[in-house]
Amino acid sequence: MRGHADAILAGIGLDRGAPGPLYRQLTAQLRGLIDSGRLPAGTRLPASRALAEGLGISRTTALQAIDQLAAEGYLDGRPGSGTFVAALTPAPAAGGSAVAGQAVAPPAEPSGAGQPFHPGVPDAAAFPARAWARHLQAAWRAPATGLLTMQHAAGQPELRAAIASHLRSFRGLDCGPANVLVTGGIRDALALVGQALLPAGAPVAVEDPGFPPLRTALQAQGRPVLPCPVDGDGLRVADLATRAAGTCALTVTPSRHYPLGATMPLPRRIALLDWAGATGAWILEDDYDSEFRYAGQPVPPLAALDRAGRVLYLGSFSKVMFPSLRLGYLVADGDTVARLATARPRHSDPPSAVPQPALAAFIDSGGFARHLRRMRRLYQARQAAFLSAFHAALSPWLVAAPAPAGMHLVAHRGPALPARMTDLQLSALAASFGLSVPPLSACYAALPAGAGARARPFGLVFGYAGVAEPVAARFLQRLAAAIAGDCAAPGSL
Amino acid sequence: MRGHADAILAGIGLDRGAPGPLYRQLTAQLRGLIDSGRLPAGTRLPASRALAEGLGISRTTALQAIDQLAAEGYLDGRPGSGTFVAALTPAPAAGGSAVAGQAVAPPAEPSGAGQPFHPGVPDAAAFPARAWARHLQAAWRAPATGLLTMQHAAGQPELRAAIASHLRSFRGLDCGPANVLVTGGIRDALALVGQALLPAGAPVAVEDPGFPPLRTALQAQGRPVLPCPVDGDGLRVADLATRAAGTCALTVTPSRHYPLGATMPLPRRIALLDWAGATGAWILEDDYDSEFRYAGQPVPPLAALDRAGRVLYLGSFSKVMFPSLRLGYLVADGDTVARLATARPRHSDPPSAVPQPALAAFIDSGGFARHLRRMRRLYQARQAAFLSAFHAALSPWLVAAPAPAGMHLVAHRGPALPARMTDLQLSALAASFGLSVPPLSACYAALPAGAGARARPFGLVFGYAGVAEPVAARFLQRLAAAIAGDCAAPGSL
């Protein structure tokens, strides 16, 4: 016991000259010791008096920190036996998602993909790893020479065929293998299109709000991006004439707008295709979240309606298989695919062949479609459980409504949240204990001019799909406690 | 029999108005029917008289075509029973390399990597596929959540560690995991360096001659390339002051120059590092073919001598594992690696995680080092056999000398080759029956000014490593017959 207390005291260094109340420093440092594993679950904390003496602080300060951490779920009080570090992270053997085990992102992992609620992360525990490993072994134990030596700039032929077949059944796309180019993901597709099809430096229109990495990737190509507004029916096509004049391409998420979730109605889709036909611009259709629809009628993708050959249909296996797979696809007319495949070797290496025949076999065997059905049921149930836990924990401060599709929800401002609090601040508060809930305002390329805190967009994007229900509930309670603590503290946030 | 003859006649259409002798058209079309598999091995050809009648040509023309194809190895005459399509391609069950089975490159495969003698292609039949498949299955049957969900911009931590350990032992590099960034290959590395470290549009110096895809990739970034001459000791460092003034980076192959094979001596390496230190330019060291040295002392890489942190050391697993793996590495100081890893998500998708833990386990188990040793012995023996077959078949027209390292040889002009013949023409002749032997002159960014055929560089790059000895001998004989036929034909080439 004494050893633990020493470790705790040795791990804390308080700076009395720093601004803000001292208990906040102590809270943050204890939280860090727990998050980093240096204070494992079950560790008994010194009594508040001992803590205060050891650190040279008042007992009130020690008690404030302990109370705050208990409210956040970091500490458990056991009557008659003291205060202990709570077992928040379920042991891997206990089943369920192990996502909390990654709360501390490793170096060179800037995306937050390992942190709970990071949008777009599927439930890794539900992935059929044994079947996947079997397909990998079967594909590579006696490979044809060509599998080892050929570098197919458009992807392995069997995977192109499997993707085409899947998209014909699931999305009604009239496509064959020659229409499919295998990509390393959405950024790889954007880079290839930018290099091979679009004039250097020509602007590209994007949805506003939209998916920030997409905007960043286009800007990294040295292109101006033209933000185009969005309403309850998705991208405002009528505004393109003014907002997207002179653009060579447009990125759009008509199935389910990211992050707000609108589905673009059919008349607007037709108008969008007409616009592309008239201007000659390419439409980069990101068929985001089309795999997981829980209610309502699916609307056909733009690519299925396109008669003028202006649509490049983009999809990814990151969310429906797993993010580190890094495989996706671009579907277009055969000439465009051939043009992109011919250009690729000048610019970039094609994706590794290693996962490609295994993914093709997984699709062809029916295992992929079964996995999609299982995940659809799982995520639908998980959304309901998430919303119930969310309301229970956070309803005075944040509100969220059910969504008919996808893997994330956007939480909006609730009545009790002080008007001065921005979504950036709340996102940073959540990040301080390891959650990745990106602020909606960061999805905007152009914030309303002269926007004060009130006019500024407010929202937090919660990816609920990858976090098992009990873990999600604990994290939501912890977030609620942190918000309550900050609302109550003078001069906080 | 009659059915075959019909198929042959139906597959041929001669244009009497086209320039050149008619038998050349017939030869090319029959060759095409055989290459495409429409005339399979063992098919009996109609007698020359029947062929002539069916096509409305002279019997002499039919005989000339049959003789030429027999000399090229496409046809076998069996005394007393007629002429048959030869079984050039070994059946896969017969063992050995199946590389000839890929003589016809599929669409969207512009690189020629599937064709015999394409440089840089290893022997796929000797790859330990069962061990590789076992490592894949072991890595993926029960993956940690992080393996599925984390996208490591610098590569999977275990692979970075395995690569660092391998390079410490094999190349004397003083490096750890933090110095290694996993890439998707050399173009991926170049793209990342170009985006994250080099000023946009700034020139990069390259060896002249050099590896053409490297030059193309830099030009595709919108950069001027500055060709710098090479002599028997590799890149002429003394010329950099004039040739590479104002460059922000230089690509160089000091271990073994591509394609000419020079190894840069130590004093010149020191001078090159001094130049980089004085100018602040990055040195992109492509440690080409360092794994396969058959004679002579290995010289330490520039990266092992670098004190100023100007060297980015590039390597690839394409030739030592298999080309479609698409994994390589960049080694640099930790700050530079962190800078590249931070920049990557803005520009491109990282390589798939799928092969990474399997490759790490293959390296850590010692299997990779064993594979390298086996391949070194195999390729050394194969080079000797190749040279012997090459001399026997081609010595009047082409000459080639042994090389102390690597997987390719450069053939030069022999005494009997007409002076008017360029390496471009010979390379095209070889390509007409499915061989990929790139011309040396295409490796030059800048050909000597006003160069006639005599002053023009001449060479053919033969990648011998991936072609089993008997297959290589047959192809070399076929090439010799084609050269002889073209030398003899009036107005040929």
Side-chain angles (χ1 to χ4, degrees):
Chain A
M1 286 298 135
R2 190 64 220 160
H4 281 308
D6 281 346
I8 292 166
L9 297 175
I12 288 172
L14 301 174
D15 173 6
R16 279 167 187 75
L22 205 57
Y23 91 89
R24 299 274 302 271
Q25 281 188 51
L26 179 56
T27 307
Q29 293 190 21
L30 282 169
R31 203 191 272 132
L33 289 172
I34 296 170
D35 276 340
S36 68
R38 283 155 69 197
L39 286 185
T43 306
R44 182 180 176 162
L45 231 65
S48 56
R49 188 184 309 269
L51 196 61
E53 281 174 12
L55 295 169
I57 56 179
S58 76
R59 195 173 162 210
T60 309
T61 301
L63 276 172
Q64 279 176 310
I66 291 170
D67 286 352
Q68 175 65 24
L69 288 170
E72 292 179 11
Y74 276 97
L75 300 177
D76 274 337
R78 296 179 204 161
S81 60
T83 304
F84 295 82
V85 175
L88 186 78
T89 307
S97 169
V99 77
Q102 308 155 46
V104 180
E109 173 48 49
S111 74
Q115 295 172 278
F117 298 130
H118 189 75
V121 178
D123 188 334
F127 179 71
R130 296 185 73 86
W132 172 243
R134 268 199 311 276
H135 284 301
L136 274 173
Q137 193 187 32
W140 286 94
R141 67 192 307 170
T145 300
L147 185 58
L148 293 164
T149 59
M150 293 291 220
Q151 296 174 62
H152 296 282
Q156 295 291 123
E158 60 269 50
L159 181 56
R160 297 171 73 189
I163 291 171
S165 159
H166 172 72
L167 293 175
R168 280 197 305 272
S169 328
F170 277 69
R171 296 300 283 147
L173 286 190
D174 177 22
C175 65
N179 301 112
V180 176
L181 182 130
V182 178
T183 69
I186 193 109
R187 283 170 296 203
D188 183 50
L190 280 184
L192 190 55
V193 167
Q195 287 152 345
L197 292 186
L198 309 183
V204 171
V206 298
E207 294 171 323
D208 193 31
F211 188 48
L214 208 146
R215 202 168 68 225
T216 312
L218 291 165
Q219 286 167 332
Q221 291 179 17
R223 300 183 179 282
V225 298
L226 308 177
C228 297
V230 166
D231 63 20
D233 286 340
L235 179 76
R236 292 175 58 91
V237 173
D239 291 355
L240 291 178
T242 51
R243 301 293 191 126
T247 193
C248 64
L250 163 75
T251 69
V252 63
T253 54
S255 290
R256 175 164 157 75
H257 172 262
Y258 187 89
L260 295 176
T263 298
M264 189 183 284
L266 193 59
R268 197 177 275 197
R269 291 181 188 231
I270 307 278
L272 181 54
L273 289 166
D274 287 347
W275 169 83
T279 61
W282 292 101
I283 297 180
L284 279 63
E285 177 179 27
D286 183 0
D287 201 13
Y288 181 75
D289 268 354
S290 62
E291 294 89 352
F292 300 125
R293 175 158 282 278
Y294 314 121
Q297 278 292 95
V299 177
L302 292 171
L305 306 168
D306 179 31
R307 293 287 165 269
R310 302 314 302 162
V311 175
L312 309 173
Y313 178 89
L314 305 178
S316 160
F317 290 101
S318 291
K319 295 189 291 294
V320 290
M321 291 285 289
F322 52 94
S324 73
L325 175 60
R326 293 289 89 215
L327 283 179
Y329 44 86
L330 178 153
V331 180
D333 67 89
D335 287 349
T336 304
V337 167
R339 197 170 150 197
L340 291 167
T342 304
R344 184 193 271 283
R346 285 201 297 278
H347 298 281
S348 63
D349 289 294
S352 174
V354 173
Q356 296 189 44
L359 180 56
F362 188 54
I363 296 173
D364 291 342
S365 71
F368 179 61
R370 259 195 313 280
H371 177 56
L372 286 183
R373 281 196 300 273
R374 280 184 58 228
M375 291 303 99
R376 199 179 294 119
R377 283 196 298 272
L378 173 67
Y379 296 158
Q380 182 166 21
R382 190 161 279 178
Q383 189 192 104
F386 173 87
L387 278 171
S388 141
F390 185 91
H391 293 315
L394 286 155
S395 63
W397 298 291
L398 295 171
V399 294
M407 296 163 61
H408 74 265
L409 291 167
V410 181
H412 297 279
R413 186 184 288 283
L417 197 72
R420 64 185 157 78
M421 282 197 190
T422 66
D423 58 0
L424 281 170
Q425 288 167 322
L426 268 191
S427 181
L429 178 67
S432 75
F433 51 92
L435 302 185
S436 175
V437 287
L440 174 63
S441 59
C443 297
Y444 282 80
L447 288 175
R454 290 183 157 265
R456 191 186 159 87
F458 180 100
L460 290 173
V461 185
F462 284 84
Y464 58 80
V467 192
E469 287 79 351
V471 180
R474 293 294 293 270
F475 275 118
L476 293 171
Q477 285 157 14
R478 188 193 280 190
L479 179 60
I483 295 175
D486 271 277
C487 287
S492 68
L493 278 183
Chain B
M1 288 301 134
R2 190 64 220 159
H4 281 310
D6 284 345
I8 292 166
L9 298 174
I12 287 172
L14 301 175
D15 174 7
R16 279 167 188 74
L22 204 58
Y23 91 89
R24 300 275 303 272
Q25 278 187 53
L26 179 56
T27 307
Q29 293 190 21
L30 282 169
R31 204 189 272 130
L33 289 172
I34 295 170
D35 276 340
S36 68
R38 283 156 68 197
L39 287 185
T43 305
R44 181 179 177 162
L45 231 65
S48 57
R49 188 185 308 271
L51 195 61
E53 281 174 11
L55 295 169
I57 56 177
S58 76
R59 197 176 159 209
T60 310
T61 300
L63 276 172
Q64 280 178 311
I66 290 170
D67 285 354
Q68 174 65 26
L69 288 170
E72 291 179 11
Y74 275 97
L75 300 178
D76 273 337
R78 296 179 204 163
S81 61
T83 304
F84 295 81
V85 175
L88 185 79
T89 307
S97 168
V99 76
Q102 308 156 44
V104 180
E109 175 46 51
S111 74
Q115 294 171 278
F117 298 131
H118 189 75
V121 178
D123 188 334
F127 179 71
R130 296 185 73 86
W132 172 243
R134 268 199 312 275
H135 284 301
L136 275 173
Q137 193 186 31
W140 286 94
R141 67 192 308 170
T145 300
L147 185 58
L148 293 163
T149 58
M150 293 292 219
Q151 295 174 63
H152 296 282
Q156 295 290 125
E158 59 269 49
L159 181 55
R160 298 171 73 190
I163 291 172
S165 159
H166 172 72
L167 293 175
R168 280 198 304 273
S169 328
F170 277 70
R171 297 299 284 146
L173 286 189
D174 176 23
C175 64
N179 301 111
V180 176
L181 181 131
V182 177
T183 70
I186 194 109
R187 284 170 296 205
D188 182 49
L190 279 184
L192 191 55
V193 168
Q195 288 152 346
L197 292 186
L198 309 183
V204 171
V206 298
E207 294 170 322
D208 193 32
F211 188 49
L214 209 145
R215 201 167 68 224
T216 312
L218 291 165
Q219 286 167 332
Q221 292 178 17
R223 299 183 181 283
V225 299
L226 308 177
C228 297
V230 165
D231 63 20
D233 286 341
L235 180 75
R236 291 173 59 91
V237 173
D239 291 356
L240 291 178
T242 52
R243 301 291 192 127
T247 193
C248 63
L250 163 75
T251 70
V252 64
T253 54
S255 289
R256 176 165 156 76
H257 172 263
Y258 188 89
L260 295 177
T263 298
M264 188 183 286
L266 193 59
R268 198 178 274 198
R269 293 182 187 229
I270 307 278
L272 180 54
L273 290 166
D274 287 347
W275 170 84
T279 61
W282 292 100
I283 297 180
L284 280 63
E285 177 179 28
D286 183 359
D287 200 13
Y288 181 76
D289 268 355
S290 62
E291 295 88 353
F292 300 126
R293 175 158 283 277
Y294 314 122
Q297 279 293 94
V299 178
L302 292 171
L305 306 168
D306 179 31
R307 294 286 165 270
R310 302 314 300 162
V311 176
L312 309 173
Y313 178 90
L314 305 179
S316 161
F317 289 101
S318 290
K319 295 190 291 294
V320 290
M321 289 286 287
F322 52 94
S324 73
L325 175 60
R326 293 287 90 216
L327 283 179
Y329 44 87
L330 178 153
V331 180
D333 67 89
D335 288 349
T336 304
V337 167
R339 196 169 151 196
L340 291 166
T342 304
R344 184 192 272 282
R346 285 202 299 278
H347 299 281
S348 64
D349 289 295
S352 173
V354 173
Q356 296 188 43
L359 180 55
F362 188 53
I363 295 172
D364 290 341
S365 72
F368 179 61
R370 259 195 313 279
H371 177 56
L372 285 183
R373 280 195 300 273
R374 281 184 57 228
M375 291 303 99
R376 199 179 294 121
R377 283 196 297 271
L378 174 67
Y379 295 159
Q380 183 167 20
R382 190 161 277 179
Q383 188 192 103
F386 173 88
L387 279 171
S388 143
F390 186 91
H391 293 316
L394 286 155
S395 62
W397 298 291
L398 296 169
V399 293
M407 296 163 62
H408 75 266
L409 291 167
V410 181
H412 297 281
R413 187 184 287 281
L417 197 73
R420 65 185 156 78
M421 279 197 191
T422 66
D423 57 0
L424 281 170
Q425 287 168 323
L426 269 192
S427 180
L429 178 68
S432 76
F433 51 91
L435 301 186
S436 176
V437 287
L440 174 63
S441 58
C443 296
Y444 282 81
L447 289 175
R454 289 184 160 265
R456 192 185 158 85
F458 180 100
L460 290 173
V461 185
F462 284 84
Y464 57 81
V467 191
E469 286 79 352
V471 181
R474 294 293 294 267
F475 275 117
L476 293 171
Q477 285 156 15
R478 187 194 278 191
L479 178 60
I483 295 175
D486 270 277
C487 287
S492 70
L493 278 185

